[in-house]
Amino acid sequence: MLPGSRDHTAAAAAAVRANMWNKLQDMIIGGKLPSLDYPFAAGDFTLRAGGAAALLGDGQWTFSGVTSIECGLLLPVGMRIQSVRFGGNRNGGVQMSFEIRKRELVAGSAVVQVATLTGVGSGWLVMTITQNIRIEANTAYWLQVNANDVANIFGGAIVTADR
Amino acid sequence: MALPTSRDITVSPVSSVPSALANKLQDMIIGAKFPSTDFPFPAGAWRQQAAAGILGDGQWTFSGFDVVDTGCRFMVGTLISSIKFAYNRGNAGTINLRLKKRNLVTGAAVVVVSSVAIVAGTGWTTSVLAPAYTTEADFAVWLEADCSNAANIFGGAIVTASRL
C-alpha cells in the first residue's frame, strides 16, 4: 500500500535527504506498489446465449443445465494479471470449468482462450488459475465460467494484478 | 504508455539533487505528465436494455432494434478523451454509438454527451468518439450501442482516459 503519511517533513531551510528523492522516484515508478486484488461479484457476470438458463441469486449463480456465464475484465492496458481465483461449489454434480479469454477488437480477430482450469474437489472451494497475463492494447479480456450440472453454484472471482 | 520503469537518477547521500528531477517529480504527482490509459470493455461487460440482444463468444448480435450499454466506473474528475467502438454493421441498418450521463441526485433526464451514427459499411471495423469529457460529481456515465438490424454485430469498446 502507499504510505498513509509523510516519511519526513522537510523544513524550509533544511536539506532534503537523498534517500527521500530515491524513494519518491521508486513510488512513482510503481516498483514499490504491491499486487492488488480486484473482486468481481456474481452480479458482474452475465449469461451467454446458447446454453441452459441460469439464475442470479443473492451473491451466486445457479444453473438449469450446461451453460456459460461471463464477466468483462475492466483492467487498463499494461496491467499484469497474476492469478484469478474462482469461488464456487460443484455441489455433488459434474465439475465446472473456468477460462480467461480475449479478443483483439480493432482487427476483430477470433476469440482466444488464454487460460483454462477444470474444477476439482467438493464443497465450497476457491479454484485458481495462476498465469501472468499482460493486458494488451486494443484487446478485451473476460472471465468465463462453464457450468456443467444443475447442481453447480458459482459465487464470483478475485483477480490479482499489478503493473 | 506505462510509468517509467526505472529511476531517472539515484541520488547519493552527498550529491545535490538536480532541479530538473525535483520539477519532474512535481509534474508527475500533479498528474500532468501521466499519459492516457486504455481501458477495454469486452462484450461481456455490456447489458441489454431490450430483451432481444444475444451475447455470444466475445460479441453481441441482435434481432432488430436493440440496445446494450455498460457503465463507466471512473472516479469523478477523470478525463475521457476517446472511445473506440468495435463492430460490424453488416451492410444494413444504423448503429448509434453514444456516451451518456445522468445526474443521480436530481434525477434529471439522460443527456447524450457524444454520439456517432454508423449508416454505411460492412466488415469488422472501429469508430472513435472524442468527447473530451471530464466525469462530474453526482453523475452516472455509460456507453451505449444502439443497433437496428439483425445483421449488426457489436464487439465492445476501448476507452482512453487520463487524470485517473
Side-chain angles (χ1 to χ4, degrees), chain B:
Chain B
M1 264 178 64
L3 291 170
T5 56
S6 61
R7 293 175 180 175
D8 273 10
I9 178 172
T10 296
V11 182
S12 66
V14 299
S15 65
S16 58
V17 176
S19 58
L21 176 61
N23 294 336
K24 197 170 191 177
L25 286 171
Q26 290 184 84
D27 288 342
M28 293 188 72
I29 293 169
I30 291 166
K33 297 300 182 190
F34 283 174
S36 296
T37 305
D38 284 352
F39 293 82
F41 286 77
W46 299 67
R47 299 288 180 274
Q48 56 196 12
Q49 291 185 17
I54 299 168
L55 177 60
D57 190 12
Q59 65 185 30
W60 283 90
T61 55
F62 308 89
S63 61
F65 284 93
D66 298 309
V67 181
V68 291
D69 65 31
T70 186
C72 287
R73 303 174 198 168
F74 296 115
M75 294 180 295
V76 171
T78 299
L79 172 63
I80 297 174
S81 52
S82 77
I83 306 162
K84 188 187 301 180
F85 295 90
Y87 59 91
N88 181 348
R89 176 178 165 270
N91 209 28
T94 300
I95 300 178
N96 284 290
L97 305 166
R98 305 181 180 108
L99 173 66
K100 303 176 86 166
K101 68 178 184 180
R102 184 179 191 182
N103 188 314
L104 295 182
V105 174
T106 65
V110 172
V111 172
V112 177
V113 177
S114 181
S115 67
V116 61
I118 310 301
V119 298
T122 190
W124 194 273
T125 188
T126 58
S127 186
V128 178
L129 284 180
Y133 171 69
T134 300
T135 58
E136 303 162 86
D138 299 337
F139 275 82
V141 180
W142 67 97
L143 308 178
E144 182 178 272
D146 182 352
C147 297
S148 68
N149 192 284
N152 302 154
I153 301 172
F154 180 69
I158 298 167
V159 175
T160 302
S162 61
R163 300 182 197 167
L164 300 160

Side-chain angles (χ1 to χ4, degrees), chain A residues 86 95-99 116-119 144-148 152:
Chain A
F86 297 88
Q95 291 287 1
M96 291 178 280
S97 65
F98 310 95
E99 299 177 52
T116 186
L117 173 72
T118 298
Q144 181 170 310
V145 177
N146 304 309
N148 292 307
N152 296 158

